[in-house]
Amino acid sequence: MIIQIRIEKHIYSYLQEIYNTVTLLNNQDLRKKQITTDMKVLTEEVHKVAQNKKIEIDTLKIKEEYRREFIGNVAHELKTPLFTTQGFLETIIDNDITDPKLVKKYLERATNGVERLIKIVSDLDMITKLESTELKIEKETFDIVDLVKEIFQMLEQKAEKNDITLMLDKEHYRKINVFADKEKIYQVLVNLISNSIKYGRERGITEVSIEELTDKKYIVRITDNGMGIEKKHLNRIFERFYRIDDHRSRKIGGSGLGLSIVKHIIEAHDNHIYVDSELNVGSEFSFTIDKAIENTIL
């Protein structure tokens, strides 16, 4: 009787453990396994299947949370320019404003709201394509120094308005050929240099340099002595819609997707982007890029 009781107790403990675990499982998962009479082996097999199921459930929960957060962020970003545009148009209509100058003033402000909406939608479309690999990367050989100079010319007025000096490292005025998607790298540089100007300090400097990293890679650095970023934000600044200072960022403008798009473009080139920053000292964003074939030491 003593032996029987101990055996029954031992078997019961195994069965109880299996029962607690099997509630997470689908019967089909167990049918795929070869039937065994060894309770220890059976318990281990059930644990494995249960663990896999738990991982699947946790993954689905994370994705669902990510989806809710993303939809909330999109709604939040679209709301401000939509309400702003609606407000200016309703002001013109409800108050029957006929003064051409005042009408033009409100329409221009409404247009700014529409342009911001277009920017957000365009960036959303871009990042969706990048994440789904629908957007093709068409590589070609081009001089990245010329590209930086072109961007400097385009952003010159913006820099002057913010009292920022744009500099290209004097050692890199020579021709530097790279192999990448020129249009996409243009977008990366415009975004990083524009951010440096937007968050720069008065009478500040934004400098671009291109250095040889390896036999097959260059590294492009965008350095400034602006506001800088607290260390706690550095791991998250490439997330979609992540803002370091929500009020300040919205006042300055932007879709909140720029750095995320930059990261996706660089990674789509099989390269990497880095950030190093210190609050009230400045920031450096850098990314690697492939050398053109003729510049590569084989």
Side-chain angles (χ1 to χ4, degrees):
M1 285 179 61
I2 294 172
I3 294 172
Q4 184 178 348
I5 291 170
R6 288 186 175 178
I7 291 173
E8 286 177 354
K9 188 176 179 181
H10 183 67
I11 292 174
Y12 177 81
S13 66
Y14 270 117
L15 290 175
Q16 184 64 42
E17 190 174 2
I18 293 171
Y19 176 81
N20 292 336
T21 306
V22 87
T23 55
L24 293 171
L25 305 177
N26 185 314
N27 288 335
Q28 292 180 353
D29 293 318
L30 293 176
R31 288 172 188 166
K32 294 175 184 177
K33 301 293 181 182
Q34 186 176 357
I35 297 174
T36 177
T37 56
D38 188 322
M39 297 300 293
K40 184 176 181 181
V41 173
L42 178 59
T43 304
E44 290 175 353
E45 290 296 327
V46 171
H47 269 300
K48 287 179 184 177
V49 178
Q51 186 63 30
N52 290 336
K53 278 293 179 184
K54 186 176 183 302
I55 291 171
E56 287 180 20
I57 292 169
D58 290 343
T59 302
L60 287 172
K61 286 180 179 178
I62 291 169
K63 286 182 177 179
E64 177 61 21
E65 180 64 29
Y66 182 75
R67 184 188 68 82
R68 283 200 300 267
E69 184 180 346
F70 176 69
I71 291 173
N73 283 331
V74 171
H76 189 62
E77 291 295 330
L78 294 175
K79 183 172 65 177
T80 301
L82 273 173
F83 287 171
T84 301
T85 302
Q86 183 185 37
F88 286 125
L89 294 177
E90 286 180 348
T91 300
I92 296 172
I93 296 169
D94 295 344
N95 295 285
D96 196 23
I97 298 174
T98 56
D99 182 353
K101 289 184 179 179
L102 198 55
V103 170
K104 183 181 179 182
K105 176 183 177 181
Y106 284 136
L107 287 176
E108 284 177 347
R109 292 183 178 180
T111 300
N112 290 336
V114 173
E115 286 176 353
R116 185 175 174 189
L117 283 171
I118 292 171
K119 172 65 174 170
I120 292 171
V121 172
S122 176
D123 284 351
L124 279 170
D125 181 58
M126 167 73 79
I127 203 166
T128 301
K129 288 179 178 177
L130 283 166
E131 289 182 346
S132 62
T133 66
E134 288 181 15
L135 198 65
K136 293 182 179 178
I137 300 296
E138 299 178 356
K139 294 185 178 183
E140 60 179 297
T141 297
F142 63 91
D143 181 3
I144 195 170
V145 173
D146 274 349
L147 193 66
V148 172
K149 290 178 181 178
E150 180 184 336
I151 293 169
F152 275 5
Q153 289 176 357
M154 182 187 72
L155 297 175
E156 187 176 9
Q157 288 186 343
K158 184 177 181 179
E160 287 178 356
K161 183 179 177 181
N162 289 40
D163 200 10
I164 302 289
T165 301
L166 299 177
M167 296 178 60
L168 181 62
D169 190 336
K170 63 182 180 180
E171 294 183 7
H172 303 291
Y173 274 100
R174 60 188 176 84
K175 190 172 186 178
I176 299 178
N177 286 334
V178 296
F179 187 62
D181 187 316
K182 186 176 181 179
E183 182 182 339
K184 303 297 185 301
I185 296 301
Y186 178 89
Q187 188 174 1
V188 167
L189 287 168
V190 167
N191 192 294
L192 294 177
I193 296 171
S194 293
N195 279 354
S196 180
I197 293 170
K198 280 194 295 186
Y199 298 106
R201 66 177 63 191
E202 191 175 345
R203 292 187 295 277
I205 295 172
T206 293
E207 181 178 21
V208 177
S209 63
I210 303 106
E211 302 170 12
E212 189 172 39
L213 185 65
T214 67
D215 290 346
K216 296 183 179 180
K217 303 274 187 185
Y218 289 115
I219 186 164
V220 182
R221 304 182 191 275
I222 296 88
T223 310
D224 64 56
N225 59 349
M227 298 179 184
I229 304 167
E230 287 185 79
K231 298 295 182 185
K232 65 180 181 180
H233 296 297
L234 293 181
N235 290 331
R236 299 196 62 192
I237 57 172
F238 293 107
E239 293 179 16
R240 290 185 292 187
F241 298 114
Y242 185 77
R243 295 181 185 276
I244 297 167
D245 183 334
D246 194 67
H247 175 73
R248 182 184 71 178
S249 297
R250 294 187 193 286
K251 185 177 179 181
I252 292 174
S255 67
L257 294 165
L259 286 178
S260 183
I261 289 173
V262 163
K263 184 174 185 288
H264 276 86
I265 289 175
I266 296 301
E267 289 180 349
H269 282 77
D270 294 323
N271 279 289
H272 303 283
I273 185 163
Y274 311 94
V275 58
D276 184 25
S277 185
E278 186 175 344
L279 191 64
N280 298 322
V281 175
S283 302
E284 178 182 280
F285 285 83
S286 58
F287 61 91
T288 57
I289 191 168
D290 294 341
K291 292 182 179 181
I293 295 172
E294 62 267 24
N295 289 350
T296 302
I297 302 172
L298 300 176

